């Protein structure tokens, strides 16, 4: 198969299959989470559950000072990595065009040079995250093959995208095809790995915050 044919397949049938698996898998995982039974809290409300849920959604999105003081490199690295990933996914011109073709509307994007710099920065943070995991005895003990798989399928789209944009290592058409295929690997893996947290984090934080707010305590 030529590079042009591989690119056409990656942009066409392969992308459609990966997108269907991603959407169906994520909906199934969210249905499973929402279907979990929990005991009804019969205690008298001492605060607002809704306010607690909203507060926790916001506060857990920021580094906790106590944890930041103990592990500044790991926390800051994770924070920067997630910002870089979100910017690349949602603010790169070609990606915005893909979203526009799927959703029917788009939004402003960042200059390509800025995205390229963010890609390099995110690659560094991903490598640092792996080094921190491998060199911390507790993190290494708690890590499962799923943690390393989630890291790998996150790294590949960033790496191939950076190489394609800068015309490095392989011809552009082939590298672009590999980039799209790596994105599709991520889409297929996400519902069945720890990457599910890209959606489930909001539910878990809301639930914890709601329960704490109902009891009048901090989450």
């Amino acid at each position: 198969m030529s590079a042009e044919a591989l690119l056409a397949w990656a942009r066409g049938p392969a992308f459609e299959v990966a997108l269907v698996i991603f959407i169906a898998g994520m909906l199934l995982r969210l249905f499973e989470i929402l279907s979990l039974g929990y005991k009804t809290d019969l205690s008298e409300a001492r605060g607002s559950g809704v306010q607690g849920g909203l507060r926790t959604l916001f506060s857990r999105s920021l580094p906790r000072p106590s944890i930041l003081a103990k592990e500044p490199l790991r926390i800051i690295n994770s924070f920067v990595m997630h910002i870089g990933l979100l910017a690349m996914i949602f603010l790169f011109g070609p990606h915005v065009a893909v979203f526009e073709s799927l959703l029917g509307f788009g939004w402003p994007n960042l200059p390509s040079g800025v995205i390229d710099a963010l890609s390099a920065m995110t690659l560094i943070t991903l490598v640092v995250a792996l080094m921190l995991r491998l060199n911390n005895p507790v993190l290494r003990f708690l890590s499962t093959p799923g943690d390393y798989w989630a890291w790998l399928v996150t790294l590949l789209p960033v790496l191939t995208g950076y190489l394609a944009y800068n015309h490095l290592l392989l011809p552009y058409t082939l590298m672009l095809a590999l980039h799209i295929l790596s994105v599709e690997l991520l889409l297929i893996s996400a519902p069945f790995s720890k990457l599910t947290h890209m959606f489930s984090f909001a539910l878990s934080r809301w639930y914890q915050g709601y329960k704490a707010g109902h009891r009048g305590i901090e989450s």
Side-chain angles (χ1 to χ4, degrees), residues 90-164:
F90 294 108
L91 296 178
F92 185 38
H95 295 172
V96 174
V98 173
F99 283 113
E100 187 172 6
S101 67
L102 295 172
L103 302 174
F105 62 89
W107 48 83
N109 54 266
L110 288 175
S112 298
V114 174
I115 295 296
D116 187 42
L118 288 173
S119 300
M121 179 192 70
T122 306
L123 281 173
I124 294 173
T125 62
L126 282 164
V127 174
V128 171
L130 179 63
M131 293 299 102
L132 291 173
R133 182 177 293 277
L134 293 175
N135 287 284
N136 185 305
V138 176
L139 282 177
R140 189 171 65 246
F141 176 76
L142 295 175
S143 297
T144 66
D147 290 304
Y148 296 108
W149 177 254
W151 177 85
L152 179 63
V153 297
T154 303
L155 172 75
L156 288 176
V158 183
L159 178 60
T160 54
Y162 178 82
L163 294 174

Side-chain angles (χ1 to χ4, degrees), residues 34-71:
L34 294 173
S35 299
L36 290 173
Y38 63 90
K39 294 181 179 179
T40 302
D41 190 348
L42 301 178
S43 62
E44 183 178 352
R46 297 179 178 177
S48 170
V50 174
Q51 289 183 7
L54 293 174
R55 183 169 56 245
T56 301
L57 271 175
F58 175 75
S59 64
R60 292 292 179 85
S61 298
L62 300 174
R64 285 190 171 188
S66 59
I67 300 178
L68 180 61
K70 293 180 180 178
E71 301 180 275

Side-chain angles (χ1 to χ4, degrees), residues 1-22:
M1 179 182 290
S2 66
E4 289 75 13
L6 181 63
L7 178 59
W9 181 74
R11 280 175 163 167
F15 181 72
E16 293 173 358
V17 171
L19 193 59
V20 168
I21 293 175
F22 175 76

